[in-house]
Amino acid sequence: MKKILWSIVIICLFLFWACETPIGMKLPGKKNTKVIEGWIENDQYPVVVVSNSLSYYSTIGAEEVLASADKNAKVYITDEDGNSEQLALGFTTEHIFGIVGAAYVGKTIKGKAGKEYSLYVEDDSGQVFTAKARIPQQPMLIDSLFFPVNTAVYDTFYPMRIIFQDRPETYDCYRFFCKITHLDIAYSPIRLGTFDDLTFNGKQITYEISRSPLSNFNISGMTDSVREDYSRSYFKPGDTIVLRATLTDTATLKYWFPLQTDIFLGSNPFLITKHYPTNIEGENVTGIFSGYHARYDTLIFHKDN
C-alpha cells in the first residue's frame, strides 16, 4: 500500500514539474495579404485603395491601420473603348484612407452606365493584380423616403424607410450607404444593406435604413454625449441625411454580403481572418472592385415633424 502511495506522489510531482517547464513556440511567418478596394460609379471618377493586411497578433489602432496603406502602387483604370488612365494618390471623402490622402483617385475617366471597366494594380514588389467591373445600366426606382414618426426605436430616435420598386426582367443586386451631414465625413454602408432581389423580384419593397458609423477610431476623445450621438444607428429630428442607393454587380454582392453578415453578428472587421469571394485576380490578394449605378437623395428630418 505504501509503495502505491509513493508512486502516486512521485507521479503528481512529475506532472507538477512538467507544467512548470517553459515552452518556447515560434509562430509561423505569413506574408501579408494585399487588400484592394476600388469602385467606379456613374458620372464619378474611380477610387481605389491599396493596403496590406495586418497580423492577427499585432496591435491594431488608427495609426497602424492608416500606415498599412500602400502608397507606392501603380494603379490604372481602362474603359471598354480602350481609354486608360493612371490614378494618383489624392484626397476623397469616399473612404477613410482617402481622408488622409492615401487613396488612388482618377481625374479623366468617369463611369458610364452599362459600361465595363478594367483595374490594373502593380505594387512596388512587382506583383500584378487585375479585375473587371460593370456599372449596371439602370438606376434604382425609389418611390419614397420617410421617417415613421409613430415607431420610435427608443426615446426620440427613428429609423428611415425607403419604398422602392424592383425590376422583374433583371437580376438586381443592391447596396446602400448614408451619412448624417453634421456627423459623418464620408458615406458608410448601411447595416445589412447589401442584398439581391431573389426573394422579391418584380415587387415593391419597404426597407428600413439604419446607420453604421464609419469608424470608431475617433471616439476616444469624445464626451459621453457626443460619443452617444456619433455612435447611434438611427435618426432624430434636426438630422439631414444623404442616402446613396446603388445597383451593383454580382461580384460585389458575393464579397460584401457574407462580410456584412459576419460584422453584424459581432465579428471585429479588423480581426476577421476569412477570405471572402473576390474578383481581384493575383496571388495572395483579397478585396473587391465594384461597379455602382448610384443615386443620391437628401432627406431632412424637421424638428416639427
Side-chain angles (χ1 to χ4, degrees), residues 96-229:
I96 189 171
F97 282 73
I99 295 171
V100 296
Y104 294 89
V105 183
K107 292 183 179 181
T108 302
I109 296 176
K110 281 188 175 182
K112 294 181 180 180
K115 298 293 185 178
E116 185 179 71
Y117 297 86
S118 299
L119 171 68
Y120 175 96
V121 176
E122 181 179 344
D123 67 11
D124 55 7
S125 70
Q127 290 190 97
V128 172
F129 311 97
T130 60
K132 292 181 182 294
R134 181 177 293 276
I135 298 176
Q137 180 67 49
Q138 302 294 333
M140 281 192 63
L141 299 175
I142 295 180
D143 294 323
S144 59
L145 289 162
F146 63 98
F147 299 103
V149 294
N150 295 323
T151 57
V153 180
Y154 59 93
D155 196 15
T156 57
F157 293 91
Y158 301 84
M160 181 168 69
R161 288 184 183 161
I162 177 174
I163 299 177
F164 66 93
Q165 179 66 45
D166 182 72
R167 292 182 174 85
E169 69 275 10
T170 57
Y171 170 65
D172 296 314
C173 302
Y174 296 91
R175 193 166 190 227
F176 293 89
F177 307 78
C178 81
K179 67 177 177 180
I180 300 175
T181 55
H182 74 277
L183 290 181
D184 301 314
I185 297 175
Y187 290 93
S188 59
I190 300 301
R191 289 186 178 183
L192 300 180
T194 305
F195 51 84
D196 62 22
D197 66 351
L198 283 179
T199 59
F200 57 84
N201 184 50
K203 297 179 179 179
Q204 187 181 74
I205 297 298
T206 300
Y207 177 70
E208 187 168 288
I209 301 292
S210 60
R211 168 181 173 269
S212 295
L214 183 65
S215 171
N216 288 326
F217 285 141
N218 58 339
I219 66 174
S220 59
M222 295 180 178
T223 63
D224 290 343
S225 60
V226 173
R227 184 184 301 113
E228 181 181 1
D229 190 39

Side-chain angles (χ1 to χ4, degrees), residues 1-304:
M1 186 66 182
K2 289 183 179 180
K3 289 183 179 180
I4 294 174
L5 289 175
W6 275 109
S7 297
I8 293 173
V9 170
I10 291 170
I11 291 172
C12 289
L13 288 173
F14 175 79
L15 291 174
F16 175 78
W17 288 328
C19 291
E20 290 296 309
T21 302
I23 299 175
M25 182 174 66
K26 184 178 180 180
L27 296 172
K30 184 179 184 300
K31 186 178 180 181
N32 286 349
T33 299
K34 189 69 67 175
V35 182
I36 298 173
E37 182 183 353
W39 65 91
I40 185 167
E41 70 176 59
N42 52 302
D43 301 319
Q44 301 291 332
Y45 297 115
V47 177
V48 179
V49 173
V50 184
S51 62
N52 297 296
S53 65
L54 299 171
S55 169
Y56 183 87
Y57 299 97
S58 65
T59 300
I60 299 178
E63 184 176 349
E64 288 78 16
V65 170
L66 294 176
S68 69
D70 184 345
K71 299 180 181 180
N72 298 309
K74 297 176 182 177
V75 181
Y76 296 86
I77 292 289
T78 303
D79 66 20
E80 62 182 35
D81 297 320
N83 302 306
S84 186
E85 174 190 9
Q86 182 174 1
L87 277 56
L89 285 173
F91 293 90
T92 175
T93 58
E94 297 299 310
H95 194 281
I96 189 171
F97 282 73
I99 295 171
V100 296
Y104 294 89
V105 183
K107 292 183 179 181
T108 302
I109 296 176
K110 281 188 175 182
K112 294 181 180 180
K115 298 293 185 178
E116 185 179 71
Y117 297 86
S118 299
L119 171 68
Y120 175 96
V121 176
E122 181 179 344
D123 67 11
D124 55 7
S125 70
Q127 290 190 97
V128 172
F129 311 97
T130 60
K132 292 181 182 294
R134 181 177 293 276
I135 298 176
Q137 180 67 49
Q138 302 294 333
M140 281 192 63
L141 299 175
I142 295 180
D143 294 323
S144 59
L145 289 162
F146 63 98
F147 299 103
V149 294
N150 295 323
T151 57
V153 180
Y154 59 93
D155 196 15
T156 57
F157 293 91
Y158 301 84
M160 181 168 69
R161 288 184 183 161
I162 177 174
I163 299 177
F164 66 93
Q165 179 66 45
D166 182 72
R167 292 182 174 85
E169 69 275 10
T170 57
Y171 170 65
D172 296 314
C173 302
Y174 296 91
R175 193 166 190 227
F176 293 89
F177 307 78
C178 81
K179 67 177 177 180
I180 300 175
T181 55
H182 74 277
L183 290 181
D184 301 314
I185 297 175
Y187 290 93
S188 59
I190 300 301
R191 289 186 178 183
L192 300 180
T194 305
F195 51 84
D196 62 22
D197 66 351
L198 283 179
T199 59
F200 57 84
N201 184 50
K203 297 179 179 179
Q204 187 181 74
I205 297 298
T206 300
Y207 177 70
E208 187 168 288
I209 301 292
S210 60
R211 168 181 173 269
S212 295
L214 183 65
S215 171
N216 288 326
F217 285 141
N218 58 339
I219 66 174
S220 59
M222 295 180 178
T223 63
D224 290 343
S225 60
V226 173
R227 184 184 301 113
E228 181 181 1
D229 190 39
Y230 174 76
S231 301
R232 60 188 164 96
S233 300
Y234 294 97
F235 310 97
K236 65 181 182 180
D239 287 344
T240 297
I241 303 100
V242 183
L243 179 69
R244 178 186 175 204
T246 77
L247 281 171
T248 188
D249 48 45
T250 305
T252 298
L253 174 82
K254 290 181 177 179
Y255 180 81
W256 282 113
F257 182 80
L259 177 54
Q260 73 174 5
T261 302
D262 284 347
I263 293 173
F264 180 78
L265 293 176
S267 296
N268 185 330
F270 294 111
L271 293 178
I272 291 174
T273 56
K274 292 182 182 178
H275 278 260
Y276 297 90
T278 178
N279 64 352
I280 310 288
E281 296 188 4
E283 294 185 4
N284 199 33
V285 64
T286 188
I288 189 69
F289 178 50
S290 303
Y292 293 118
H293 195 137
R295 59 172 287 170
Y296 295 80
D297 294 274
T298 300
L299 195 61
I300 300 173
F301 198 159
H302 293 292
K303 293 185 178 181
D304 57 354

